[in-house]
Amino acid sequence: MTVLSPHATRADLVRNIAVALLAIVQVVVAVVAGDAVGPVAREYATPLLAAGWTFAVWLPIYAGFLGYAAYQALPGQRARQVHRRTGWWLAASAVFNAAWVLAFGAGWLPLAELLILALLVCVAVAYGRFTRTPADGVLERVLVRGTVALYTGWVSLATALGTAATGVWIGLPGAGPLAVIAAIVVLLAVTAVVSWAVLAGTAVVPLAAAVVWAIAGTALNDPPAGVVVAGAVAIVVVIASVVRRITTAGFPVRAAWG
């Protein structure tokens, strides 16, 4: 059942409109400027370069974000405390997302890395705050919890991939033993953090699905054997964390889907 605050305020309406407009802006920027991201990533290739098909994950993320933007603006949703606690964080995430696309596409990788770190903080905070409030039905699980969890999982890995590319941009080797070792360490470190989030969070199925998708896209993009093995280990660890979280949760559906 939807839990409302006493009444919607002008601040709620401003937040609703800002989220909706920025959701549209980030999609427009992605459509207009997003094609430049792939060539730049390949120009600064590392063992953590994901295959091109991996980036299809942005389609459900953007579509889900638009759905969330419409959902949070519904009269029955505007004044909910959960939207008040997360709305501006997600509005900011749309700004950082659009700015990241433009910066990375322009080849300004250090700036792009700062922007995607800021994006990760925004979606991670929103994800964390959603975990503390049960979802208001299936629609919210799909449009809101699922989208934010998927987004958080994907950006967690995208940040690591961007860090590797930025290292090449500043002059670090993108190939050879040191690059492979660094890639393995980064991949396993991110896996440890994500697994911790899975064991503590909700909507863990879409969160983990995005992470597994990103790791698989990297491991199947013909990296060195060490990265393939590390990727396989990472996938097993993430999936095991999901199984443990769901099977030990008091409310398995909420743990799995929000």
Side-chain angles (χ1 to χ4, degrees):
M1 180 176 180
T2 302
V3 179
L4 296 175
S5 62
H7 56 81
T9 65
R10 182 176 298 177
D12 291 321
L13 183 59
V14 170
R15 186 191 67 251
N16 296 153
I17 294 172
V19 169
L21 290 177
L22 289 169
I24 295 170
V25 167
Q26 74 173 351
V27 172
V28 171
V29 171
V31 171
V32 173
D35 287 345
V37 171
V40 172
R42 289 189 291 273
E43 182 180 353
Y44 299 101
T46 76
L48 290 181
L49 177 64
W53 52 263
T54 316
F55 296 93
V57 73
W58 282 113
L59 293 176
I61 289 174
Y62 284 139
F65 202 104
L66 289 171
Y68 150 72
Y71 179 83
Q72 58 89 42
L74 293 173
Q77 295 293 325
R78 290 175 182 168
R80 286 183 66 198
Q81 288 297 328
V82 69
H83 294 312
R84 289 176 172 175
R85 293 195 298 269
T86 59
W88 284 115
W89 286 100
L90 291 171
S93 79
V95 174
F96 288 126
N97 178 287
W100 173 81
V101 170
L102 294 172
F104 197 95
W108 303 336
L109 268 62
L111 174 60
E113 186 64 13
L114 292 176
L115 290 168
I116 200 169
L117 282 168
L119 169 58
L120 177 59
V121 169
C122 290
V123 293
V125 169
Y127 172 78
R129 292 184 177 187
F130 276 126
T131 64
R132 294 193 286 273
T133 304
D136 182 34
V138 175
L139 183 62
E140 183 173 318
R141 283 195 173 103
V142 174
L143 285 182
V144 183
R145 309 308 174 92
T147 296
V148 173
L150 189 74
Y151 204 171
T152 303
W154 170 254
V155 175
S156 298
L157 267 293
T159 301
L161 273 57
T163 300
T166 302
V168 176
W169 188 92
I170 64 176
L172 296 177
L178 289 179
V180 173
I181 292 171
I184 292 171
V185 170
V186 169
L187 186 58
L188 294 180
V190 173
T191 300
V193 173
V194 169
S195 297
W196 170 82
V198 166
L199 292 172
T202 61
V204 299
V205 170
L207 176 74
V211 172
V212 170
W213 178 263
I215 296 172
T218 302
L220 294 175
N221 199 30
D222 198 28
V227 175
V228 175
V229 172
V233 171
I235 288 173
V236 170
V237 170
V238 171
I239 292 175
S241 299
V242 172
V243 172
R244 178 173 176 79
R245 175 70 178 108
I246 294 173
T247 56
T248 60
F251 300 95
V253 173
R254 187 180 172 217
W257 301 106

